[in-house]
Amino acid sequence: MSTLDSGKIESLKNDLAGTVILPSDREYDEARKIWNGMVDKRPAIIARCSDTQDVVRALSFARDTGIRLAVKGAGHHIAGNSLCDDGLVIDLSQMRAVKVDSNAKRTTAQGGATLADLDAATQAHGLATPLGINSTTGIAGLTLGGGFGWLSRKYGMTVDNLESAEVVTAKGDVVRASANENPDLFWALRGGSGNFGVVTAFEFRLHTVGPGLLSGLIVYPFDDARSVLRQYRDFVSQAPAELSVWTVLRKAPPLPFLPAEVHGKEVVVLALLYAGDPEKGEQAIAPLRAFNSPVGEHVGVQPYTDWQKAFDPLLTPGARNYWKSHNFTKIDDGLIDVVMKYVNTLPSPECEVFFGSIGCATKQPATDATAYPHRDAEYVMNVHGRWQTEEEDKRCIQWSREYFEASAPFASSGAYVNFLTEDEVDRVRSAYGQNYDRLAAVKKKYDPDNLFRVNMNIKPA
Ligand SMILES: Cc1cc2nc3c(=O)[nH]c(=O)nc-3n(C[C@H](O)[C@H](O)[C@H](O)COP(=O)(O)OP(=O)(O)OC[C@H]3O[C@@H](n4cnc5c(N)ncnc54)[C@H](O)[C@@H]3O)c2cc1C
């Protein structure tokens, strides 16, 4: 850092109500850790903001000094775009407040809130909005990329429930975006990822949910996988919007309800939630138990907030992760063959393949209603490569890539922007699909110099 820079950094420190963390600070290494343990970036400055004005100051510092800018929600994006080398990171981890207006069925969350923060606040009123399946994920990245989870078949993508946002633009202006205020920006935020500004607050519509919901796991042996997957796809095509069933194929973790001899063996897990009356849910899920003979089951009525955390122990931060994903409109027999082949050769006990089932409400809006374009998707498949040591990198990454290539002929076009890895620059355009050009025009209006470029980047038109 030059002397001039040091002086500027000093004044940034004085200006910020939050904290400025530098490489020489004790907290630095902890502050630059994100969910994916493979990401090892060294920002010059981490500006841990306390409020919207802090965000304005930190952003202005980056813009005026010409230093690279990254924005960190909860740091879960696999590509590690919440950090940058040698630049400034706007870290929103201290901005996690959530307010609920239960009469209006609305909630407002600050830009650094996690899914757990939002679910806890809204479920206190028996309300919820569709979010993802891992409670430590950030609301910000999840929403800006689309967002789907257990409630999406019933209530749509997370973006479909966004009512408004408070945004700090590249100029440093604080603006609101909604159907009536800056509607072009509002459209772009709903799927255009972090390209248009720093969102300091999200306002969502809420729905009556739970608090107790039928949810859990039904586990089949891998020997039955082909038959289970075929029955699964037929079942899902008829299932009510209230019922979400995702398939996870992996080596069984030592879950207490599974017999010891199954631990560490390949299994097919049907993970489910019924977003309605649990008795109706019991009827709806009955066929899932009769696909074959399950090796274990753990299904019951539990608080929605508990189910939202059920996968957290398998998704702890710090492991090495490499993902590949496709969207599918259907599961062909040929795809099942590919699944069988690659799940037979899982390169680590933590690698898995999942099919997240969406559809129903997520398909209702037109492709250009929001920037998120993949309205034809019935399934989002994630090849979740996950392991612990650097020595395993090559083997596990290769497995993920090969599986991805082999399954590509069965995929629909496009990719989910929230699952793209750093090396998938060639897929960025298809992640925004037919909305890319319109997004580029909005980008030109709100961020002509591409200040927000550490992301799945849309170039200004
Ligand atoms: C374990 C795990 C489980 C997941 N499960 C699901 C799931 O069920 N459903 C689903 O849809 N997705 C899921 N995802 C993907 C998730 O939606 C993305 O990783 C998302 O980007 C995470 O948001 P974040 O705020 O934590 O990300 P970050 O890594 O902090 O940010 C991601 C991107 O958004 C930008 N950004 C962050 N905050 C802001 C802000 N306030 N304003 C503007 N830009 C911002 C960043 O600059 C970056 O480009 C999962 C991810 C993980 C790691």
Side-chain angles (χ1 to χ4, degrees):
M1 283 283 152
S2 68
T3 329
L4 178 64
D5 288 342
S6 308
K8 283 188 176 162
I9 292 170
E10 268 316 301
S11 48
L12 178 68
K13 274 187 178 174
N14 292 334
D15 286 352
L16 236 56
T19 341
V20 169
I21 302 170
L22 302 176
S24 53
D25 289 329
R26 209 168 15 92
E27 317 91 295
Y28 178 75
D29 278 329
E30 202 49 44
R32 70 183 185 90
K33 274 190 193 150
I34 57 170
W35 186 81
N36 184 0
M38 287 186 87
V39 179
D40 181 23
K41 294 188 185 169
R42 301 187 67 84
I45 303 171
I46 299 173
R48 209 163 248 179
C49 298
S50 284
D51 54 27
T52 301
Q53 281 315 310
D54 271 3
V55 172
V56 173
R57 290 183 193 110
L59 179 147
S60 306
F61 178 95
R63 192 195 51 225
D64 297 346
T65 55
I67 191 173
R68 188 176 275 263
L69 173 68
V71 182
K72 180 177 171 217
H76 268 46
H77 200 293
I78 190 78
N81 283 330
S82 55
L83 298 178
C84 57
D85 280 321
D86 305 322
L88 181 144
V89 173
I90 291 183
D91 176 339
L92 298 169
S93 60
Q94 305 304 302
M95 293 175 58
R96 291 171 53 181
V98 181
K99 285 190 201 142
V100 178
D101 179 343
S102 56
N103 292 326
K105 288 196 170 177
R106 293 283 187 276
T107 184
T108 305
Q110 281 187 302
T114 63
L115 310 197
D117 297 329
L118 197 82
D119 281 333
T122 56
Q123 277 290 278
H125 303 272
L127 299 168
T129 204
L131 302 172
I133 61 120
N134 166 229
S135 79
T136 56
T137 308
I139 294 291
L142 178 112
T143 305
L144 296 170
F148 64 89
W150 301 111
L151 301 179
S152 292
R153 281 168 58 84
K154 177 82 177 147
Y155 299 115
M157 302 289 293
T158 308
V159 283
D160 300 334
N161 293 275
L162 187 67
E163 284 286 318
S164 71
E166 178 187 81
V167 187
V168 180
T169 65
K171 274 199 221 158
D173 296 335
V174 181
V175 302
R176 263 174 69 84
S178 69
N180 305 317
E181 297 154 282
N182 303 301
D184 51 354
L185 178 60
F186 185 54
W187 176 83
L189 290 175
R190 288 174 291 158
S193 196
N195 276 284
F196 298 94
V198 185
V199 180
T200 43
F202 294 87
E203 184 196 10
F204 296 103
R205 199 158 54 248
L206 294 170
H207 310 272
T208 301
V209 171
L213 291 179
L214 186 74
S215 46
L217 309 174
I218 298 172
V219 183
Y220 282 99
F222 189 65
D223 286 348
D224 294 345
R226 193 180 297 276
S227 150
V228 168
L229 285 173
R230 284 190 178 146
Q231 293 180 76
Y232 166 74
R233 70 166 177 218
D234 297 342
F235 177 85
V236 165
S237 67
Q238 307 293 324
E242 284 78 7
L243 181 57
S244 284
V245 188
W246 292 21
T247 313
V248 187
L249 296 110
R250 55 168 295 144
K251 290 180 193 281
L255 297 169
F257 68 91
L258 290 177
E261 59 271 22
V262 175
H263 297 172
K265 301 270 171 22
E266 292 78 12
V267 286
V268 188
V269 182
L270 302 179
L272 64 95
L273 173 124
Y274 189 85
D277 175 1
E279 277 183 27
K280 287 193 181 146
E282 277 293 352
Q283 289 165 23
I285 70 165
L288 296 173
R289 295 184 168 116
F291 281 176
N292 284 56
S293 304
V295 283
E297 174 184 320
H298 187 70
V299 175
V301 178
Q302 59 179 317
Y304 172 66
T305 46
D306 285 359
W307 179 242
Q308 283 288 84
K309 292 180 182 163
F311 294 90
D312 291 2
L314 294 176
L315 298 169
T316 48
R320 303 177 78 79
N321 289 269
Y322 183 82
W323 292 4
K324 295 296 267 185
S325 86
H326 284 304
N327 292 331
F328 294 97
T329 54
K330 57 184 180 357
I331 297 178
D332 278 319
D333 282 350
L335 176 60
I336 295 176
D337 291 342
V338 175
V339 173
M340 299 299 294
K341 177 175 171 195
Y342 282 89
V343 175
N344 248 323
T345 56
L346 288 165
S348 95
E350 295 178 78
C351 285
E352 65 183 25
V353 170
F354 82 70
F355 287 88
S357 149
I358 48 176
C360 296
T362 67
K363 294 176 78 174
Q364 294 304 313
T367 306
D368 62 355
T370 61
Y372 170 83
H374 308 296
R375 297 301 182 173
D376 61 341
E378 289 282 354
Y379 302 94
V380 183
M381 182 201 71
N382 193 8
V383 189
H384 181 182
R386 180 180 164 94
W387 61 99
Q388 295 296 334
T389 65
E390 208 172 326
E391 292 69 51
E392 296 164 276
D393 284 3
K394 199 172 162 209
R395 190 177 77 239
C396 293
I397 290 173
Q398 190 173 334
W399 174 83
S400 308
R401 286 185 180 150
E402 284 178 7
Y403 175 95
F404 168 79
E405 293 297 338
S407 52
F410 307 98
S412 51
S413 62
Y416 182 37
V417 74
N418 274 345
F419 287 169
L420 289 186
T421 44
E422 203 178 7
D423 58 2
E424 293 190 299
V425 181
D426 56 322
R427 297 185 85 203
V428 170
R429 196 174 242 276
S430 69
Y432 300 112
Q434 70 175 53
N435 290 332
Y436 188 91
D437 291 341
R438 184 169 161 194
L439 281 164
V442 182
K443 176 81 173 173
K444 187 178 176 195
K445 177 172 168 190
Y446 287 94
D447 184 18
D449 300 325
N450 209 2
L451 177 69
F452 303 108
R453 62 181 178 281
V454 183
N455 47 41
M456 293 303 159
N457 196 234
I458 296 162
K459 306 273 179 301

